[in-house]
Amino acid sequence: MAQVLITGGAGFIGSHTCLVLLQAGHRLVVLDSFVTSNPASLRRVLELAGGVASERLTVIEGDLRQPSSLDRAFSAMAGRCDAVIHFAGLKAVAQSVHQPLLYWDVNVGGSTQLLSAMARNGCHTLVFSSSATVYGFPETIPIQETAPVLPINPYGHTKAAVERMLADLATSETHWRIARLRYFNPVGAHPSGQIGENPLGPPDNLFPYVSQVAVGRIARLQIYGDDWPTADGTGIRDYIHVMDLAEGHLAALEVLWNEQPQLLTLNLGSGIGHSVLEVVRAFEAASGRTVPYGVAPRRAGDAARSVADPSEAERRLGWRTRRDLETMCLDGWAWQSSHPDGFSSQASNP
Ligand SMILES: NC(=O)c1ccc[n+]([C@@H]2O[C@H](COP(=O)([O-])OP(=O)(O)OC[C@H]3O[C@@H](n4cnc5c(N)ncnc54)[C@H](O)[C@@H]3O)[C@@H](O)[C@H]2O)c1
């Protein structure tokens, strides 16, 4: 049993990863400010983990940027932190364009504070949530990890900056074990429908948008461009089921623990591209609902196609995605239909 600090563990990807790690027998301390999440997610995680899992989860409410919060989190581990998984951060591209300083403060400043606290507490194993956004407009599809890091918005700049900071650290202090995981588009939910994505305000991404239209919370979907150079004219993305992603984190931790200190950089994606219209059709089939949509002009900053080459993750972690688009839609709908307003849905609160 390892002790792992999970920053941002109440969020979408964090809550699913907490469940996978609890089920693998680990002890967790979650540090979260709940700025974009709800503590109910962790109560649900405990219900799903069952048994005596509650004895292996400690939740600390606090802000990553405050050393006192980090000290409380490390104190809760009584001197032994075997690894940190660092999810905490802000992720809305459009918001980052309007509030770049906030994004640099939380995503980069928060990460600097975390790394200092890890060093103070003798913990040198870290899994960091990076993003396919760091690739900007990639020249070659599928995208390999060796592609240039050329982000095109403030959110992507902050992810690339933390990646750079981690590379500098790994070069100067060679005992660090670090994985920089570049996620493609995490979607879906735990198949129970008890935890899932809980966006505050209008969703930024296609999948929660489609699912909120299906449930009747938003009137119709806006598709940005049907004249892209793709088979049906809509943009193509690589979607990854959040449970596959969560399992990828466990696989990365095990490799970091079992191998020599290293800096790993891996794409976590399915390697399969789906167009916007394919997602709409698959979601309609899974939900039995119609998803009305309109077409608007292309948005600046969007690309026609973004698909991972996940072969390096498979080679290094022995991990690959197992759940297809239909499963992503069925599980996403199980969550959305039972929680039309996310964790604030009255009927479903624990
Ligand atoms: N979901 C995606 O599409 C996606 C894609 C690529 C990368 N990522 C990255 O993965 C990570 C997790 O994303 P998610 O989708 O679970 O987002 P999320 O918003 O659901 O979770 C983020 C969590 O971090 C917490 N948090 C934010 N700022 C904090 C702070 N200063 N101190 C403490 N806690 C703080 C939030 O309360 C929330 O629980 C983020 O770093 C994100 O940038 C997400």
Side-chain angles (χ1 to χ4, degrees):
M1 179 177 77
Q3 293 209 98
V4 184
L5 171 61
I6 317 273
T7 73
F12 173 44
I13 307 168
S15 56
H16 291 78
T17 305
C18 284
L19 178 59
V20 166
L21 293 186
L22 286 172
Q23 287 172 332
H26 298 304
R27 180 169 187 275
L28 312 180
V29 172
V30 166
L31 173 65
D32 204 304
S33 64
F34 306 118
V35 65
T36 57
S37 61
N38 189 313
S41 66
L42 293 170
R43 293 197 289 275
R44 295 287 177 81
V45 164
L46 285 179
E47 285 167 17
L48 291 169
V52 290
S54 58
E55 289 167 17
R56 289 189 283 111
L57 176 67
T58 303
V59 180
I60 308 276
E61 180 169 0
D63 193 304
L64 183 70
R65 293 166 291 179
Q66 292 167 349
S68 58
S69 299
L70 286 160
D71 287 344
R72 277 191 291 135
F74 280 99
S75 304
M77 310 188 89
R80 201 192 102 207
C81 176
D82 297 306
V84 175
I85 306 185
H86 179 29
F87 293 111
L90 299 175
K91 63 169 184 180
V93 169
Q95 186 191 25
S96 80
V97 173
H98 297 294
Q99 295 177 276
L101 294 184
L102 175 67
Y103 273 67
W104 279 85
D105 187 30
V106 174
N107 292 359
V108 181
S111 298
T112 311
Q113 291 295 345
L114 173 66
L115 290 167
S116 303
M118 287 177 68
R120 280 199 303 282
N121 288 277
C123 179
H124 302 104
T125 302
L126 173 73
V127 176
F128 170 62
S129 297
S130 189
S131 167
T133 311
V134 299
Y135 295 120
F137 291 116
E139 276 178 16
T140 309
I141 305 288
I143 308 168
Q144 296 185 324
E145 289 84 352
T146 48
V149 169
L150 293 169
I152 54 165
N153 54 59
Y155 168 66
H157 292 149
T158 65
K159 288 292 175 189
V162 177
E163 280 206 4
R164 184 68 257 168
M165 180 159 63
L166 294 174
D168 289 347
L169 181 63
T171 303
S172 87
E173 298 184 21
T174 53
H175 53 283
W176 280 80
R177 298 161 189 265
I178 298 174
R180 306 184 298 185
L181 303 183
R182 295 174 177 164
Y183 315 154
F184 278 67
N185 294 275
V187 300
H190 187 267
S192 65
Q194 291 303 301
I195 51 174
E197 191 167 9
N198 188 39
L200 300 176
D204 231 29
N205 300 325
L206 174 69
F207 202 93
Y209 217 103
V210 169
S211 99
Q212 291 196 11
V213 172
V215 85
R217 203 167 141 180
I218 298 175
R220 65 193 214 142
L221 171 71
Q222 195 79 280
I223 295 179
Y224 294 102
D226 62 355
D227 55 353
W228 294 98
T230 61
D232 65 20
T234 62
I236 290 180
R237 296 290 177 273
D238 182 325
Y239 297 93
I240 174 170
H241 194 295
V242 67
M243 289 303 295
D244 280 329
L245 186 58
E247 289 164 9
H249 287 75
L250 180 60
L253 274 182
E254 285 169 355
V255 165
L256 291 180
W257 283 325
N258 292 331
E259 296 185 0
Q260 293 300 310
Q262 62 184 311
L263 175 68
L264 267 176
T265 306
L266 297 171
N267 289 337
L268 296 190
S270 69
I272 299 166
H274 292 291
S275 73
V276 175
L277 286 176
E278 276 182 276
V279 171
V280 170
R281 302 288 174 243
F283 209 91
E284 287 182 330
S287 64
R289 302 279 179 98
T290 303
V291 176
Y293 65 83
V295 178
R298 294 180 188 184
R299 280 184 309 194
D302 280 349
R305 197 181 293 267
S306 169
V307 178
D309 178 344
S311 55
E312 186 65 2
E314 183 166 0
R315 192 179 70 78
R316 295 294 292 106
L317 306 182
W319 164 95
R320 64 204 292 251
T321 60
R322 297 187 289 130
R323 297 157 176 97
D324 61 9
L325 180 63
E326 184 187 0
T327 309
M328 297 178 210
C329 294
L330 285 169
D331 293 344
W333 181 242
W335 157 252
Q336 185 72 77
S337 56
S338 57
H339 299 78
D341 297 316
F343 285 107
S344 50
S345 296
Q346 286 304 319
S348 307
N349 271 345

